[in-house]
Amino acid sequence: MDILKVLLTFLVGVLTGFLNVMAGGGSMLTLPLLTFLGLSIDVANGTNRVSILIQNLAATYSFKKNKVHILKRSFILSIPATLGAICGTLVVVQINESLLKKIAAVLIILMGSFIVLKKDVWKKNQIATKKSNILSYLTFFFIGFYGGFLQAGVGFFFISALMFLEGFDIVKTNAAKVAIIAVYTIASLLIFAAHNQVDWKIGFVLAIGSAIGSSFGARYMVLNEIVWVKYLLFAAILFASLKMFFS
């Protein structure tokens, strides 16, 4: 991997890590940006999981260190999510690259729209709800399927499900979200690796950049959300996805 590609990959990681903290959904830029760097869409999809796994393992450790005790329920919910992710990954690794590129572009645009239209849904403190294990397990299975298939923007689905179906407050929601994603990403990454759809060097460089970008984003945001970042992110997603769709 040449120096320029390393640098660009690192900068992609910094950008998406920053956006993940500021607005969420930075991973929706990762796939199109990695394809611009020369990876095929299937390898980009698999390689992105390296960064995702490291990010979420680190976040899970951080929540645990800060005594946010949600791991037991998170592990239970990760079971249907992981089963769904395995199914989603097994489907996506078999899809024709050209078709996958178009599917990914459409899904990323839809998820980008969700950022703008539903930007306040995860700000509520707690949702009173009557819990239903069956509904939760089915929901987390299908969210896991999407996560295994594409991943981009899956956090918004988890946030909604954890708040509305589980009744978690925002802190527990985020703690459970990162733990569940970390668990199923292990299974998903192993499947991508078995199909030779992971570039480990790029994945680790991306992960390092993402960690640094997340740190900058947290410092920049401090206490107030910067609303304009969501619209900037959506504009970038729209441009990148359209270019990916028509390439």
Side-chain angles (χ1 to χ4, degrees):
M1 189 165 57
D2 61 62
I3 299 299
L4 180 59
K5 196 169 186 178
V6 170
L7 178 60
L8 290 174
T9 301
F10 174 78
L11 291 175
V12 168
V14 172
L15 174 62
T16 55
F18 179 85
L19 290 173
N20 271 329
V21 173
M22 294 297 298
S27 293
M28 285 183 279
L29 276 177
T30 308
L31 288 182
L33 288 173
L34 285 177
T35 60
F36 295 161
L37 291 177
L39 294 186
S40 60
I41 183 63
D42 50 354
V43 175
N45 195 15
T47 300
N48 187 39
R49 311 309 171 108
V50 179
S51 177
I52 289 165
L53 177 59
I54 293 174
Q55 281 180 51
N56 286 283
L57 284 175
T60 299
Y61 174 77
S62 178
F63 278 114
K64 186 176 184 298
K65 187 177 180 181
N66 286 283
K67 302 184 186 303
V68 181
H69 300 295
I70 201 68
L71 288 182
K72 183 177 179 181
R73 184 59 179 170
S74 299
F75 177 74
I76 292 172
L77 294 172
S78 73
I79 296 173
T82 300
L83 292 174
I86 290 171
C87 294
T89 307
L90 288 173
V91 169
V92 78
V93 295
Q94 302 296 334
I95 293 180
N96 173 272
E97 181 187 342
S98 178
L99 176 61
L100 176 59
K101 188 179 290 188
K102 289 178 170 53
I103 293 174
V106 171
L107 289 176
I108 289 170
I109 290 174
L110 290 175
M111 287 307 303
S113 301
F114 183 83
I115 293 176
V116 176
L117 298 176
K118 299 292 183 182
K119 58 181 180 294
D120 296 324
V121 73
W122 53 88
K123 289 183 180 179
K124 300 175 183 178
N125 292 324
Q126 188 164 347
I127 310 298
T129 181
K130 183 178 180 180
K131 292 185 180 180
S132 168
N133 280 333
I134 294 176
L135 180 58
S136 283
Y137 298 156
L138 285 174
T139 300
F140 280 87
F141 174 86
F142 286 112
I143 296 175
F145 182 95
Y146 174 77
F149 187 92
L150 192 65
Q151 179 66 31
V154 73
F156 299 119
F157 290 132
F158 277 123
I159 287 169
S160 297
L162 287 164
M163 295 185 78
F164 287 97
L165 295 179
E166 294 293 311
F168 290 170
D169 60 36
I170 190 62
V171 175
K172 289 183 178 179
T173 289
N174 279 296
K177 178 194 71 172
V178 297
I180 294 168
I181 291 176
V183 172
Y184 81 64
T185 299
I186 295 172
S188 186
L189 181 58
L190 288 173
I191 295 172
F192 280 112
H195 286 79
N196 297 314
Q197 294 183 3
V198 178
D199 187 315
W200 294 100
K201 291 180 180 179
I202 289 181
F204 283 118
V205 172
L206 186 71
I208 293 170
S210 180
I212 293 173
S214 297
S215 177
F216 284 142
R219 293 179 185 180
Y220 185 71
M221 184 169 62
V222 188
L223 296 176
N224 299 311
E225 180 191 20
I226 311 301
V227 176
W228 61 265
V229 175
K230 294 181 183 293
Y231 298 97
L232 178 63
L233 174 60
F234 178 70
I237 289 169
L238 183 63
F239 172 78
S241 298
L242 288 174
K243 188 167 183 179
M244 186 167 68
F245 185 88
F246 291 107
S247 63

